[in-house]
Structure formats: C-alpha cells, structure tokens
Amino acid sequence: MSPVTPFGTRLRAAMDARGPLCVGIDPHAALLASWGLDDDIAGLERFSRTVVEALADQVAVFKPQAAFFERFGSRGVAVLERTVADARAAGTLVLMDAKRGDIGSTMAAYASAFLDPASPLFSDALTVSPYLGYGSLKPAVELARESGAGLFVLALTSNPEGAEVQRAVREDGRTIGATMLAHLAEENAGAAPMGSFGAVVGATLGDLSSFDLDINGPLLAPGIGAQGATAADLPAVFGKAVGNVVPNVSRGVLKHGPDVSALRDASRRFADEIRAAVGA
Ligand SMILES: O=C(O)c1cc(=O)[nH]c(=O)n1[C@@H]1O[C@H](COP(=O)(O)O)[C@@H](O)[C@H]1O
C-alpha cells in the first residue's frame, strides 16, 4: 500500500488482518527492572527491540510512549527513532504517544516532528491534546491529511482526573468531551472505510451512551489490563461504535517479558479476548 494511503484506510486493513489490539511500548523503570535490565540506555534499547521483534508480526499497532524515551535525553530519543523505524519496517503501524498540544507555529513544529515523512520520528499517527482549543490542532490536521498520517485526540481519557475538564458543560449544553467527538466526526465525514482522525476514549469509563461515539474514525481505548478494564467491558462502554475500537494494552502485555514467547502468548490472549468480546 502506498505511504500516502490515508491512515484510516491503512489502520482498518491492519485491524481486519490482525485484529485491533494496540500494544504500548512503555519502558517504565519498574518494568526494566522486572525484565532484569538496568534503567539506562542499554536497558531501554534492549526492552524496545525485544517488544518490536516479539510482536511486530502479530499486532496491528504499536504505541510507544515518548516520555519513557525522552527521560534519557537525546540518546533516549535516538532509541525512540530506531524503535519507530524498526516497527514500521516490520509492517506494524506506529502511533506515537506524545500527547502534543500548542498553538500556531509551535503546533506546526510539533506536527512536523512526528507527521512529516522527512522527520526521523515520522510515525503513522500521533496523540494530541485539544485543550488549547480544538482549532489549535489545525496545523497537525493539515499535515496529517497531506502525509497520510492520523491523529488521536484526547476526548474522554481513562484517568479519573480527566472528567474535571472533559465532562464540563458548555453554554450550549454539550460537554467538552462531546464537543471534541463532534469535531472529529466533521474531520472524518465522507471517509471510507473510516477517517484518519481518532479519539482517545478510555475503556475504564463505564457506560458512555450519553456520548455520540460514531465519529467514522478510530477510538483508541486505553485502560485494559493494569488500569482495571477488561476486553469484556468493551461492548458495554462503546456500544455500536465497538467495531472502530483500537484497545491498547501496555503493562498488561509488557510485564510478561523479557521472554519472547511469553510476550507473544500474552498479546495473543488479549487479542483473543478482544475478538471474543467485539467479534473482530
Ligand atoms: O493517549 C493514551 O494513550 C492514553 C490516554 C488515556 O486516556 N489513558 C492512558 O492510559 N493512555 C496511555 O495508555 C497507556 C496505558 O498503559 P497501561 O495502563 O500500562 O496499559 C499509557 O501509555 C498511557 O499514557
């Protein structure tokens, strides 16, 4: 498939072929220790390489969490670059979890760092924060459209603190979270099989039937495993939109390393549970 094929099309093909599971690459210090690795560049590199080699043929998407690489400075970012390149070369989509959000030319610079094909950190998609106003994301939306990349906008996050902002009610009676979902539905209007502009909606949130999740785009659902949600929760949380859900598991899979077959088995177990729950 050509690299300018829109992200939504590429993601749908990957979900159909491999199931929708997204495995996070989150090299927490505690995980490195439990893998018998030092909390240093060599440990970071070994951890990330092992995850990519173990799972690249099995999962639809990897989601490296940039913070765990950035904490080591420029050498950590170099490991992140190689992790992204290795995963993409192996045919797995990469969703960079950097949760960027700023205004104007600064937002444009963040967008070019992750969504310009000439950048060493070029990824298939990027998480972004709309809490400087959805319109502040415009440079990222434009560059994503141009480069065939995607965005995942924080709409209803998995953490309990998110409600303070995301469930706040506007003058028109809509919540902020619902407003973000409506913006995304507009971005994705008319796209087939689905658009490239996703929402982040936590799997931990219980019944979301008061929100219109029908955005014609992917719904990244973190919270399964370590945060307490299970694959079996997905139909009740997402209702009719469950077919567009990309469930993310990070620690729930990663804690089974460094043994490659244990990582593969754990990821397969989550994938099977998700398939059983959502019929994917
Ligand atoms: O954007 C995200 O990925 C994200 C959004 C959210 O609402 N909640 C959330 O946990 N995440 C990320 O998803 C991952 C969850 O990791 P585990 O709890 O270990 O599965 C972490 O990388 C979080 O930063």
Side-chain angles (χ1 to χ4, degrees):
M1 221 177 259
S2 127
V4 293
T5 303
F7 173 72
T9 305
R10 294 185 288 129
L11 176 61
R12 175 55 77 198
M15 291 165 75
D16 289 348
R18 298 177 171 198
L21 177 65
C22 167
V23 170
I25 306 181
D26 293 33
H28 293 255
L31 272 175
L32 294 179
S34 83
W35 281 38
L37 298 170
D38 290 331
D39 190 21
D40 61 11
I41 286 291
L44 180 75
E45 179 136 42
R46 173 67 75 84
F47 181 95
S48 312
R49 252 205 191 142
T50 303
V51 177
V52 171
E53 282 171 12
L55 302 178
D57 66 339
Q58 203 171 294
V59 300
V61 187
F62 282 126
K63 184 175 73 66
Q65 167 50 250
F68 292 114
F69 296 82
E70 289 167 353
R71 70 198 179 95
F72 293 101
S74 60
R75 295 171 70 209
V77 174
V79 175
L80 181 58
E81 289 174 9
R82 281 196 297 279
T83 303
V84 172
D86 290 350
R88 299 191 75 240
T92 315
L93 295 171
V94 173
L95 163 54
M96 177 64 70
D97 189 2
K99 296 189 179 65
R100 294 303 196 251
D102 212 305
I103 61 166
S105 55
T106 317
M107 190 64 226
Y110 277 137
S112 78
F114 297 104
L115 305 172
D116 180 339
S119 163
L121 282 169
F122 176 63
S123 302
D124 296 285
L126 172 69
T127 55
V128 288
S129 171
Y131 295 111
L132 275 72
Y134 183 85
S136 67
L137 300 178
K138 193 169 174 209
V141 171
E142 286 176 353
L143 187 52
R145 282 198 198 285
E146 207 179 296
S147 61
L151 294 178
F152 283 86
V153 174
L154 300 176
L156 297 165
T157 58
S158 68
N159 59 316
E161 304 86 352
E164 173 186 346
V165 174
Q166 299 150 17
R167 307 259 178 160
V169 178
R170 296 169 12 133
E171 275 176 8
D172 65 3
R174 279 196 311 187
T175 61
I176 303 288
T179 306
M180 298 309 151
L181 292 165
H183 283 303
L184 290 164
E186 256 174 59
E187 303 290 3
N188 292 323
M194 70 175 164
S196 301
F197 298 95
V200 178
V201 179
T204 49
L205 297 176
D207 178 14
L208 292 176
S209 54
S210 60
F211 290 92
D212 185 359
L213 299 174
D214 183 13
I215 63 166
N216 189 32
L219 300 167
L220 178 72
I224 295 173
Q227 295 179 47
T230 67
D233 295 330
L234 294 171
V237 177
F238 291 94
K240 287 199 309 281
V242 79
N244 280 8
V245 170
V246 179
N248 177 82
V249 181
S250 299
R251 286 166 292 180
V253 168
L254 301 173
K255 72 179 183 190
H256 295 279
D259 184 75
V260 165
S261 54
L263 282 167
R264 289 178 70 79
D265 287 349
S267 153
R268 212 174 281 122
R269 268 196 309 277
F270 276 107
D272 288 347
E273 286 169 20
I274 290 162
R275 195 171 300 116
V278 312

